[in-house]
Amino acid sequence: MNILDFTDIADTKSIDIDDLPMYYKAISKKQAELKESLNKLELLKSKKPVWSLPKPMESVKVPSGTIGVYKIIYKPDEKVMSIGQGNVGNRRSRHKSVFNNNGKDITHNGGTTSGSVTAQKMYKYDTKLSNWYFSYCNITEKTLANAFEFELQQKLQPQFNALHMGGNN
């Protein structure tokens, strides 16, 4: 007697057999993604990262869809307080929105929330948004952005980052 005797779950052997084509398809897709990523990385080895000039977080413009790494800088002492990565424009917007909401998560219709621990820390440190600057580097390749974020965080140890989280998404 086993747990399947007490449930409506079908025999697991037939489920496994039916799932095999999707499993192999997923492997093939992941292999193709990794090959494409490796090709991009090979091309990027010949380029140096270029950072944007630090500009006020409230007004800096980031081209739509920019994948890269960013720094949040406290302008009064020129100190990098946070380093992140991902869709740079979306991240900047999220941090700015939470900051402008008195450092509290944004609650949307329907009850979902958008948070930013970084913006909460920024607001607690200094409530004047004009003191916060933003600089970014367009990386174009997500796995490289993850790794670059990790290395920068390890070297600069920004006050608002949890170092064990660097490069995790």
Side-chain angles (χ1 to χ4, degrees):
M1 196 174 273
N2 65 39
I3 191 67
L4 293 177
D5 294 335
F6 302 101
T7 67
D8 292 332
I9 299 173
D11 177 30
T12 57
K13 289 181 181 165
S14 65
I15 292 171
D16 291 343
I17 291 169
D18 291 343
D19 289 348
L20 279 176
M22 282 73 70
Y23 178 70
Y24 292 133
K25 185 175 182 179
I27 288 173
S28 293
K29 283 184 175 181
K30 192 64 183 173
Q31 286 175 319
E33 288 172 14
L34 290 171
K35 284 177 186 173
E36 182 180 338
S37 184
L38 286 170
N39 289 337
K40 281 184 182 179
L41 290 171
E42 198 59 40
L43 291 171
L44 289 169
K45 276 175 38 177
S46 64
K47 298 180 180 183
K48 292 181 180 178
V50 178
W51 287 91
S52 69
L53 293 174
K55 293 186 179 176
M57 189 156 185
E58 58 197 333
S59 61
V60 67
K61 302 286 188 231
V62 178
S64 179
T66 299
I67 301 298
V69 178
Y70 62 88
K71 297 176 184 175
I72 296 176
I73 302 156
Y74 185 61
K75 187 63 175 169
D77 61 11
E78 301 285 328
K79 188 173 179 185
V80 174
M81 301 297 276
S82 181
I83 297 170
Q85 59 80 30
N87 184 314
V88 176
N90 290 351
R91 298 291 167 92
R92 185 200 67 87
S93 293
R94 169 77 60 93
H95 296 320
K96 182 181 160 190
S97 295
V98 171
F99 185 97
N100 284 333
N101 193 42
N102 299 320
K104 295 181 175 33
D105 291 355
I106 305 294
T107 302
H108 305 284
N109 295 337
T112 61
T113 59
S114 297
S116 165
V117 173
T118 296
Q120 292 169 1
K121 291 177 180 181
M122 290 166 57
Y123 190 84
K124 187 175 180 181
Y125 194 87
D126 185 339
T127 59
K128 192 173 178 185
L129 184 59
S130 61
N131 282 333
W132 296 101
Y133 276 51
F134 192 87
S135 178
Y136 67 93
C137 179
N138 186 355
I139 298 295
T140 72
E141 208 289 321
K142 177 68 172 159
T143 62
L144 179 56
N146 285 341
F148 192 31
E149 174 201 35
F150 177 83
E151 296 300 331
L152 288 168
Q153 286 180 1
Q154 294 302 307
K155 181 179 180 203
L156 300 177
Q157 301 201 359
Q159 185 173 332
F160 295 166
N161 287 114
L163 296 182
H164 68 282
M165 296 297 290
N168 278 333
N169 62 350

